[in-house]
Amino acid sequence: MTSKWTVYVSLQSSIPLDTTRIIASGIAVHDDVVLTFDKIRVRLQGADKQEQLKLVLFKISDDGKCIVVDEDKCLKVKDLNGEEDVFRKIVNMMPTEDCRYALYDCSWESKDSPKEDLVFIMWAPEHSTIKKKMKYASSKQYIKAKFQGLKFEWQVNDMSDAKDSSVFIDKLGGRGVVKKLEGKEV
């Protein structure tokens, strides 16, 4: 009898499921990534709301073996208080010559109602090396599989994709749908 945790590659051998998840790119997803995802998707109330994560960046570790939380590149709600251009602040958090994954807890309003959605960001700027872009591209499906329930993805390959919030607003449905982004009229 086979277990749901085992994938049979041939009749002779089996490979644990976690191992097959890293074969394509050779890169695993660290457990802290999933814990951070759980933290960002929880909606805090009252005074605790200021401590809620708003943006988290993820990177491939220096040894190239796993995707980890980029500890220095996280924003909380309190970090954006009084910020005139939240979109610009998020773009400025991204490295100009390296790739990243990110989760952004986006607050926006449609014609009908206010919304909060997690947006997966694949950041692969034009000045990053081809090797890094390939590593990130081949590992993207595995990190996204850990983030259940994502509605939106924004891929940035050059700065024209991030020049202003209009490209991002298009990902949410366009100006005809989006009325406010982070409390600001669009």
Side-chain angles (χ1 to χ4, degrees), residues 7 16-17 53 55-56 75 95 111 123 126 129 140 166 174:
V7 174
L17 184 58
L53 290 170
L55 176 77
V56 179
L75 290 175
K111 292 183 273 188
W123 183 266
E126 58 195 327
T129 65
K140 180 174 90 168
S166 64

Side-chain angles (χ1 to χ4, degrees), residues 84-126:
E84 283 300 312
D85 191 350
V86 172
F87 178 80
R88 186 62 31 215
K89 175 127 180 155
I90 289 169
V91 169
N92 289 339
M93 295 283 297
M94 304 293 185
T96 56
E97 297 186 10
D98 203 355
C99 299
R100 288 293 185 273
Y101 304 112
L103 278 177
Y104 167 44
D105 185 9
C106 182
S107 299
W108 60 287
E109 276 186 44
S110 69
K111 292 183 273 188
D112 304 325
S113 64
K115 301 179 184 297
E116 290 188 20
D117 289 305
L118 289 177
V119 178
F120 178 79
I121 302 170
M122 169 69 175
W123 183 266
E126 58 195 327

Side-chain angles (χ1 to χ4, degrees), residues 7-136:
V7 174
Y8 285 93
V9 175
S10 71
L11 295 175
Q12 318 268 301
S13 66
S14 66
I15 298 174
L17 184 58
D18 288 339
T19 305
T20 62
R21 288 199 163 281
I22 63 173
I23 287 176
S25 67
I27 300 170
V29 178
H30 196 279
D31 290 343
D32 286 346
V33 170
V34 177
L35 293 173
T36 302
F37 172 69
D38 289 339
K39 285 181 190 175
I40 197 171
R41 70 183 181 151
V42 170
R43 304 285 180 230
L44 301 176
Q45 303 298 321
D48 292 336
K49 176 98 173 136
Q50 295 298 309
E51 293 300 318
Q52 183 172 328
L53 290 170
K54 194 70 175 164
L55 176 77
V56 179
L57 272 62
F58 305 95
K59 65 180 183 176
I60 295 177
S61 60
D62 294 337
D63 65 6
K65 293 184 179 179
C66 64
I67 299 168
V68 297
V69 177
D70 191 347
E71 299 289 340
D72 300 330
K73 301 287 185 170
C74 296
L75 290 175
K76 295 181 178 181
V77 170
K78 68 180 180 183
D79 299 327
L80 298 174
N81 288 343
E83 190 68 39
E84 283 300 312
D85 191 350
V86 172
F87 178 80
R88 186 62 31 215
K89 175 127 180 155
I90 289 169
V91 169
N92 289 339
M93 295 283 297
M94 304 293 185
T96 56
E97 297 186 10
D98 203 355
C99 299
R100 288 293 185 273
Y101 304 112
L103 278 177
Y104 167 44
D105 185 9
C106 182
S107 299
W108 60 287
E109 276 186 44
S110 69
K111 292 183 273 188
D112 304 325
S113 64
K115 301 179 184 297
E116 290 188 20
D117 289 305
L118 289 177
V119 178
F120 178 79
I121 302 170
M122 169 69 175
W123 183 266
E126 58 195 327
H127 298 294
S128 183
T129 65
I130 296 294
K131 184 177 180 180
K132 283 185 181 182
K133 288 180 188 181
M134 293 302 293
K135 270 188 174 182
Y136 275 80

